[in-house]
Amino acid sequence: MPGLLGAVVNGAAESVIVRDPSGRVLLWNKASEALYGFSREAMLGRHLHDRLNAHHPTTITGLEQHLLEQGHWEGELKRTTASGEERRVEVRWTVLRGPEGHPAAIIEYGRDTTRLSVIELESRLQAHRYRNLFQAMAAAFWEIDFSEVSRMLAQLIHGGVKDVRGYFEAHPEFIDATLAAARVVDVNDKSVALFGDGRREDIIGGSLEPYWPPESRHVYAESLLAALDRLPHLSRETRLTTLGGRKIDALFTVCWPSGHHGRGTVLIGIIDLSDRVAAEQEVRASELRFRQLFQAMSTALFQINTTRQRALLAELEARGVEDLAAYFDSHPGFLLTCMDAMTIDDVNEAAVHLMGARDRSELVGQPVTRFWPPSSHPVIRRSLLSSYRKQTSFEEETVHYRLDGSELNTLFTLNDSPELRARGMVLVGLTDITEREAAQKALRQVQSEFAHASRLSMLGELTASIAHEVNQPLAAIAAHGAAATRWLSRPEPDLDELRAINANMVSDARRAADIIARLRAMASNKASERQRLSPNLVIEEAVRFLHHELMAHEVELRLELADGLPDIEADRVQLQQIIVNLALNAMQEMKRACCPRPRLKLRTLAGDGELRFELEDSGPGIPPQHHDRLFQSFFTTKAAGLGLGLSICRNIIEAHGGRIWAENIPSGGARFVFTLPIAG
Ligand code: ADP
């Protein structure tokens, strides 16, 4: 044993024993020799508990385990001395740890209590229980001697200070002085770990000053006021500082034992709240981020409070209503009740602007009902049904009222995520699609103008055909006229013959007028006009336009028109335009590829609720790299082409509720197919 330390330990009146974690004795002082009758030599390296035959109501191994977990234990053991006598010994065990925190040794202070009275023993036992608890608690406990502080407070009051609180506020230095005057008597291991970075000796005997940063001293002042008011205890959240200068968010509790009134020691408990505070700060920060995002978004956002509306739906659910749609149908007023139960909790700037409000206050607190025109109620009904099915999002185009009652075309988007739901709200985004609608309208207008232009250029191409078409009835009329003149010049004109000739002339004139009317229709820019049509008749008429073109290019045309087809509802002129367009394209391709026997086949057939039109050619077909671009505007492979024909065809077909596509025929050539729904 080193000289000085050895002298100190040996000089101690108490038994001091140091053992290693396995229980082997490392140090055994003089008082231990006297108490147990074993010499130092006899004990060094021996197992302490075995050698002294130690006993405790709980097992010794249990005690050792507790000691290693808590770092400290104190209590009473029975041990047997060298002469075989049983002794009651009060021991205090503390674990000494190595640099890595592993237990290195256990130091024991022991006192013989064999001869103490029963009462004394009982009170000591209580004290031990208290101390073991004091050490084992997860909270940091401090035993503080406040006697000097009490004196200072008493002096203050005797000095005539009435408003102690006011005095504290005016004299922060007094509070500092009371902190310096409060003495730390004892702390538990948790306090050492939390505040002293493991240095118990730096805390004990010191003052409270290092632990109370200036910004928290008002809390300490409050605890003094509470003591003066004789409150039994006081709890406050505050910030404290460790000896190393780290700030800790803590729940500080001070307890004055009854009848204490400033005498003796006071117990302070401190619970480290740093983790909880950090978590709360994280929540606050993310809430802030959400708010900032909410405000900064250029989409109009509404935070809707759905607590009452959810309660309504929950009530239905509880009553076993599964089919909300049916419930809406049988309770026409329920939709409005639900809407009235939803109010606006918050809106962003974009929403204020969109709704034409002066500021948020004009919208916040309003039920959503006033923003939904009756025509849009089916949309909100569908959104509620989607929500009832626990779907997290919903989107539909609809109409909303602005504050001034004007209507707004909107894209209504609902976010109904479980996180929002748990907070009794949904987020609604509204996008103004009035402009988009206007743009689409303009686009439709441009397209129809293009369609018109394309028809005119098509008619230009078809001039020869048209001339031929019109010429035929005119020539027939002329021929009939000449024949009639001849019949009239006879001495006895045959009236029956003349009547027949006349009838032919009328019908030919009608045919010519018909053709002219069709041409006018094609050339004019009328809005689409739907009527019930027989699909085969439309094709036959279109083919008449193509007649001359087919002859000129020596194209063989085959019609495969199915019998008994149902009618379609379509614009006759537009439909003919498509057929003529597809046929002209096919003829051009076949010519370009110098196809030896150009052939076209037009087919109609009825399919699944729709009619199918097919046009096949014997041309070169569609190169695979063009396949996906054929129907795009301005895609053309022709030097003088516009690349609009097919895109217009697609627009027309889609506007009629049909589809159009192109494919290659395995045996050669291209096939263009379009479908149209059967008229109801
Ligand atoms: P344009 O006739 O002005 O080129 P379209 O939109 O009518 O515009 O046609 C686009 C392109 O599709 C044509 O340039 C051609 O390359 C291709 N195409 C159209 N019809 C056929 C067909 N029957 N066979 C092969 N390619 C075709």
Side-chain angles (χ1 to χ4, degrees):
M1 195 187 313
L4 182 61
L5 180 61
V8 170
V9 171
N10 274 329
E14 267 187 322
S15 151
V16 179
I17 302 167
V18 178
R19 61 179 192 268
D20 68 15
S22 69
R24 317 238 156 249
V25 176
L26 301 172
L27 186 153
W28 184 261
N29 75 346
K30 283 262 181 308
S32 307
E33 286 186 341
L35 177 59
Y36 300 107
F38 287 109
S39 68
R40 193 168 84 87
E41 292 69 29
M43 286 304 292
L44 286 187
R46 304 295 296 272
H47 194 275
L48 177 71
H49 302 315
D50 290 351
R51 196 82 188 87
L52 298 179
N53 193 24
H55 282 289
H56 185 268
T58 67
T59 63
I60 295 287
T61 0
L63 286 187
E64 286 280 332
Q65 206 175 331
H66 175 91
L67 169 71
L68 290 180
E69 278 165 14
Q70 302 297 333
H72 187 92
W73 183 76
E74 55 182 84
E76 215 175 52
L77 299 174
K78 284 202 179 122
R79 280 173 170 166
T80 312
T81 65
S83 58
E85 265 177 73
E86 201 170 69
R87 291 274 165 88
R88 271 200 313 259
V89 191
E90 179 191 270
V91 295
R92 275 182 288 136
W93 291 344
T94 305
V95 180
L96 304 174
R97 295 189 189 270
E100 313 241 292
H102 299 303
I106 293 132
I107 185 160
E108 169 184 316
Y109 299 95
R111 287 222 293 156
D112 184 1
T113 54
T114 317
R115 273 172 269 280
L116 288 180
S117 71
V118 176
I119 293 169
E120 262 177 308
L121 280 175
E122 192 50 42
S123 78
R124 273 165 177 273
L125 206 62
Q126 290 289 358
H128 293 315
R129 283 203 193 111
Y130 160 73
R131 286 213 61 80
N132 285 333
L133 199 68
F134 180 76
Q135 287 299 345
M137 292 293 278
F141 279 112
W142 299 58
E143 206 176 328
I144 310 291
D145 178 357
F146 265 116
S147 39
E148 184 54 32
V149 177
S150 304
R151 251 194 306 283
M152 290 166 76
L153 290 174
Q155 246 175 29
L156 203 67
I157 288 159
H158 285 140
V161 173
K162 290 264 174 322
D163 176 12
V164 181
R165 182 181 291 276
Y167 183 86
F168 282 180
E169 275 163 20
H171 298 89
E173 73 285 353
F174 179 83
I175 297 299
D176 297 348
T178 60
L179 272 172
R183 247 352 77 226
V184 182
V185 176
D186 201 0
V187 289
N188 67 352
D189 289 346
K190 179 78 193 172
S191 309
V192 175
L194 195 57
F195 288 93
D197 301 326
R199 304 194 312 267
R200 177 187 296 271
E201 59 283 5
D202 289 351
I203 301 180
I204 297 193
S207 81
L208 282 184
E209 209 180 358
Y211 312 102
W212 286 86
E215 74 264 21
S216 302
R217 292 195 175 177
H218 65 278
V219 176
Y220 175 76
E222 186 108 351
S223 80
L224 295 184
L225 289 168
L228 288 174
D229 288 346
R230 303 250 192 280
L231 296 181
H233 54 79
L234 173 100
S235 257
R236 288 280 181 280
E237 280 187 26
T238 186
R239 293 202 106 186
L240 298 174
T241 317
T242 68
L243 280 186
R246 195 164 58 86
K247 292 265 161 62
I248 298 178
D249 291 295
L251 176 70
F252 159 82
T253 306
V254 56
C255 260
W256 296 280
S258 57
H260 169 264
H261 306 334
R263 284 183 303 278
T265 61
V266 165
L267 200 61
I268 286 175
I270 293 164
I271 294 174
D272 181 7
L273 298 179
S274 306
D275 288 349
R276 201 193 79 191
V277 171
E280 276 173 4
Q281 268 165 0
E282 182 49 39
V283 170
R284 269 200 295 273
S286 70
E287 179 88 353
L288 192 72
R289 277 198 295 278
F290 165 74
R291 287 271 139 240
Q292 280 168 349
L293 204 67
F294 182 82
Q295 281 306 336
M297 289 292 276
S298 55
T299 310
L301 293 179
F302 299 74
Q303 186 181 311
I304 308 291
N305 187 329
T306 50
T307 321
R308 282 192 299 130
Q309 175 254 334
R310 289 233 197 280
L312 286 172
L313 294 187
E315 202 184 298
L316 286 193
E317 227 167 19
R319 277 170 30 204
V321 175
E322 269 171 24
D323 189 350
L324 183 63
Y327 191 84
F328 274 136
D329 291 340
S330 54
H331 300 77
F334 187 65
L335 182 65
L336 274 180
T337 314
C338 283
M339 287 168 72
D340 280 334
M342 291 187 273
T343 47
I344 301 178
D345 259 0
D346 200 3
V347 293
N348 66 358
E349 260 315 301
V352 170
H353 180 73
L354 186 74
M355 301 319 270
R358 261 181 289 113
D359 52 46
R360 292 174 64 242
S361 65
E362 283 197 301
L363 299 170
V364 171
Q366 297 283 335
V368 300
T369 327
R370 66 172 293 188
F371 302 101
W372 288 86
S375 65
S376 65
H377 285 186
V379 175
I380 198 156
R381 178 186 142 122
R382 280 193 286 277
S383 81
L384 287 171
L385 292 178
S386 134
S387 188
Y388 202 63
R389 287 193 301 267
K390 307 265 183 300
Q391 272 155 0
T392 53
S393 62
F394 177 86
E395 189 173 276
E396 217 171 290
E397 285 180 18
T398 183
V399 181
H400 276 95
Y401 279 141
R402 285 196 194 83
L403 271 186
D404 65 7
S406 59
E407 285 194 358
L408 188 68
N409 292 325
T410 48
L411 176 69
F412 164 73
T413 315
L414 181 79
N415 180 335
D416 192 10
S417 67
E419 296 78 30
L420 295 176
R421 200 177 267 251
R423 301 169 77 172
M425 65 185 207
V426 292
L427 268 188
V428 165
L430 288 190
T431 314
D432 182 357
I433 52 171
T434 317
E435 281 171 23
R436 199 174 79 185
E437 287 276 283
Q440 275 174 353
K441 215 167 142 193
L443 194 68
R444 277 197 294 271
Q445 177 80 28
V446 170
Q447 277 171 349
S448 107
E449 269 156 29
F450 268 133
H452 182 217
S454 125
R455 274 202 299 271
L456 289 182
S457 83
M458 201 174 73
L459 289 179
E461 278 180 55
L462 292 174
T463 324
S465 218
I466 293 160
H468 173 82
E469 272 288 296
V470 182
N471 236 352
Q472 261 191 344
L474 290 181
I477 291 168
H480 289 313
T485 314
R486 274 198 307 279
W487 279 107
L488 282 172
S489 1
R490 294 209 175 167
E492 255 180 57
D494 182 339
L495 283 183
D496 285 342
E497 194 66 32
L498 277 169
R499 245 182 238 113
I501 288 173
N502 204 36
N504 281 340
M505 279 166 78
V506 171
S507 103
D508 279 335
R510 282 222 178 98
R511 229 174 92 205
D514 254 12
I515 293 166
I516 304 288
R518 273 210 311 275
L519 278 177
R520 290 246 301 272
M522 272 276 212
S524 76
N525 199 13
K526 272 200 311 190
S528 172
E529 209 173 73
R530 305 273 170 99
Q531 59 190 116
R532 272 184 100 91
L533 299 170
S534 144
N536 290 347
L537 275 184
V538 176
I539 293 210
E540 277 158 10
E541 270 184 11
V543 168
R544 284 224 208 125
F545 273 122
L546 292 166
H547 180 76
H548 197 260
E549 227 34 38
L550 292 165
M551 302 257 288
H553 294 106
E554 296 177 337
V555 177
E556 180 193 325
L557 172 73
R558 256 192 31 217
L559 293 180
E560 284 182 17
L561 307 179
D563 286 333
L565 289 181
D567 283 351
I568 45 171
E569 192 130 8
D571 183 299
R572 191 168 59 103
V573 173
Q574 286 185 341
L575 217 52
Q576 286 173 351
Q577 181 187 353
I578 292 170
I579 296 160
V580 170
N581 224 333
L582 295 179
L584 286 181
N585 267 350
M587 284 191 264
Q588 282 165 354
E589 289 301 315
M590 290 191 289
K591 187 175 169 201
R592 203 163 55 91
C594 304
C595 191
R597 267 189 62 208
R599 269 166 310 165
L600 272 184
K601 187 152 81 185
L602 256 169
R603 188 188 288 143
T604 52
L605 50 148
D608 192 10
E610 58 184 18
L611 271 176
R612 213 175 142 108
F613 296 78
E614 293 184 358
L615 180 90
E616 288 181 8
D617 63 45
S618 57
I622 302 145
Q625 69 272 24
H626 292 169
H627 187 267
D628 290 341
R629 300 171 58 203
L630 286 187
F631 293 92
Q632 286 174 5
S633 300
F634 308 114
F635 173 78
T636 177
T637 54
K638 298 169 197 163
L642 272 178
L644 285 172
L646 289 180
S647 116
I648 289 167
C649 288
R650 193 182 59 181
N651 279 331
I652 294 176
I653 291 295
E654 286 179 357
H656 279 80
R659 288 166 297 127
I660 182 166
W661 68 93
E663 54 202 24
N664 280 327
I665 306 168
S667 56
R671 179 189 295 130
F672 282 76
V673 186
F674 66 89
T675 65
L676 286 174
I678 289 170

